[in-house]
Amino acid sequence: MTDERKDPSELSEPGVATGKVSSPYDSPTEQFPPVNAGNSLPRTDDDLDFGSAQANSVTEQIPTYRPGSPDKPTEVLTRDTAYEMPADPVAVADPIPVTEEPRPSRGTLDLGLLALRLAVGGTALVHGLQKLTGIWNGPGLGGFETMLAEAGFEQAKLLAILGAVGEVAGGALLIVGLLTPIAAASVLAVMINAWALRQLAEPGLEYFAPSGTEYEMLLGICAGVIILTGPGRIALDGRRGWAKRPFIGSLVVLILGIGAGVCTWIFLNGANPLI
């Protein structure tokens, strides 16, 4: 036995045609990369140096970003404003609907003010009609003028007319609740002079009836209270702001009413009612 290799044609069986059969393994395997002098795989650390020409030919270089490079324009990123928070969320938020506050309940306040107006206005009205027309056993306009002249008033005739008309008009307006502060100020001015006249008739301070001043004082104080509180809503002035919530204007009217009554007594009578 020898190690000599036999021809493949001699190994075939007799009577069988022989020939060269092609095989995919007959051709030599393709090398990757092709072995040549200029392109070979790196085998050492020095071959992997990125600065060498050989490494540059094998390893893909990552491009370096250079601002303002003319090769590729810089991409401009845009923001989607739909998802951005507003600078001032309170300013751009939907306005909170303002609902009108419910009107506070006044209970029986308006009913009480109506009763007060009817009492003061009715009393002033009937006393004014007594002085103006003489009805209900009143002195009439002439008798009222004589009474004022005997009390020491100057311009008694003019003052009698103004006093009687002031009581009638003021009382009627208080009843219906029209021009309430002015009407109450008119009644207050008349009551100040009536109080001084009653006080002058008796020496010293007198309060209790029949010779005292409690009646005139009570009507005058009630008239001043109506000026400060307003007529209430059960009145022709009920829808006016100053009628529901009187403030500075009502205080001014109260001062004017007191001033008118005091000045009338000082300049047309001049007597000291407290002696």
Side-chain angles (χ1 to χ4, degrees):
M1 179 179 294
T2 61
D3 293 334
E4 183 181 358
R5 299 180 61 181
K6 295 182 179 181
D7 188 358
S9 61
E10 296 179 358
L11 297 177
S12 61
E13 296 180 2
V16 179
T18 61
K20 188 177 181 180
V21 180
S22 62
S23 172
Y25 300 101
D26 293 342
S27 60
T29 304
E30 182 180 1
Q31 295 183 4
F32 178 81
V35 178
N36 52 50
N39 187 9
S40 61
L41 291 173
R43 289 182 174 85
T44 64
D45 294 340
D46 295 336
D47 294 338
L48 293 174
D49 187 7
F50 291 100
S52 62
Q54 183 181 3
N56 289 337
S57 62
V58 177
T59 307
E60 181 181 1
Q61 296 291 323
I62 300 175
T64 304
Y65 171 75
R66 294 181 178 85
S69 176
D71 297 338
K72 183 178 180 181
T74 304
E75 182 181 359
V76 179
L77 299 179
T78 58
R79 295 181 299 177
D80 190 356
T81 57
Y83 298 97
E84 291 185 356
M85 290 295 294
D88 189 359
V90 178
V92 299
D94 294 335
I96 301 175
V98 178
T99 57
E100 185 179 358
E101 295 182 0
R103 187 171 61 180
S105 175
R106 292 168 60 91
T108 58
L109 176 61
D110 297 317
L111 187 60
L113 291 174
L114 173 63
L116 182 61
R117 287 186 0 249
L118 291 177
V120 177
T123 303
L125 177 62
V126 296
H127 278 278
L129 289 176
Q130 281 183 315
K131 298 179 180 68
L132 187 62
T133 63
I135 195 175
W136 299 309
N137 298 322
L141 194 58
F144 185 41
E145 178 184 353
T146 303
M147 185 175 59
L148 292 178
E150 292 177 353
F153 280 98
E154 299 178 4
Q155 305 292 331
K157 183 175 183 179
L158 177 61
L159 189 58
I161 296 174
L162 291 178
V165 172
E167 276 191 299
V168 171
L173 291 175
L174 280 177
I175 292 174
V176 298
L178 180 63
L179 300 176
T180 310
I182 298 175
S186 174
V187 173
L188 176 59
V190 172
M191 289 299 112
I192 288 175
N193 284 270
W195 174 89
L197 186 62
R198 173 77 67 173
Q199 184 64 44
L200 187 63
E202 296 292 337
L205 294 176
E206 299 291 338
Y207 178 75
F208 298 102
S211 58
T213 60
E214 58 181 348
Y215 167 75
E216 292 81 7
M217 182 177 292
L218 180 61
L219 283 181
I221 292 176
C222 289
V225 169
I226 293 175
I227 295 174
L228 295 176
T229 60
R233 289 175 178 167
I234 309 176
L236 296 181
D237 290 334
R239 294 184 177 273
R240 300 179 183 273
W242 55 263
K244 294 180 291 186
R245 291 184 178 182
F247 189 47
I248 299 298
S250 296
L251 184 61
V252 171
V253 173
L254 175 63
I255 295 174
L256 291 177
I258 296 175
V262 172
C263 290
T264 299
W265 177 265
I266 291 175
F267 292 107
L268 295 181
N269 190 295
N272 186 357
L274 300 180
I275 298 177

